[in-house]
Amino acid sequence: MKPMGAAPELDDSSQEWYYLDSTGQEFGPFSSDTMREWWAQGFFPIGEDLLVRLPTWKQHVALRDIYRDMSDAFRTPPGSTRTGGGGGGGGWS
């Protein structure tokens, strides 16, 4: 059971991510769970400048632009911790 006030978890079965490496090559899709594990392990040396997108987004967006708090990266819906952001990343399609 989640503690009260905890951020909602993404449904890993439906949330898939793509990312660009330093050469601009796209990789994915990967589940939120996989991306979160890689993020925690430091797999992305570019850090919060990592360019990511969801399948419905036409463009990649820097992780820092969709998560104000990097500890929420790939854990909560994109934009849910961003000032003025709405869930689902509707502004990034």
Side-chain angles (χ1 to χ4, degrees), residues 12-29:
D12 290 333
S13 64
S14 65
Q15 195 74 60
E16 295 183 326
W17 293 90
Y18 295 84
Y19 73 91
L20 294 181
D21 72 2
S22 60
T23 68
Q25 182 174 350
E26 182 177 71
F27 292 90

Side-chain angles (χ1 to χ4, degrees), residues 8 15-16 26-27 37-38 42 49-51 54 56 72 79 82 87:
Q15 195 74 60
E16 295 183 326
E26 182 177 71
F27 292 90
E37 286 178 26
W38 287 346
D49 290 324
L50 178 69
L51 295 174
L54 295 175
T56 57
D72 288 332
R82 190 171 177 265

Side-chain angles (χ1 to χ4, degrees), residues 19-82:
Y19 73 91
L20 294 181
D21 72 2
S22 60
T23 68
Q25 182 174 350
E26 182 177 71
F27 292 90
F30 298 104
S31 71
S32 293
D33 188 46
T34 297
M35 293 293 286
R36 186 170 50 244
E37 286 178 26
W38 287 346
W39 176 255
Q41 294 171 9
F43 183 77
F44 304 112
I46 195 167
E48 61 189 41
D49 290 324
L50 178 69
L51 295 174
V52 297
R53 73 174 180 87
L54 295 175
T56 57
W57 298 0
K58 295 176 185 166
Q59 296 182 25
H60 293 81
V61 178
L63 204 55
R64 66 177 146 65
D65 290 338
I66 55 176
Y67 289 107
R68 182 177 59 199
D69 183 349
M70 288 296 117
S71 68
D72 288 332
F74 309 112
R75 180 193 321 247
T76 61
S80 65
T81 63
R82 190 171 177 265

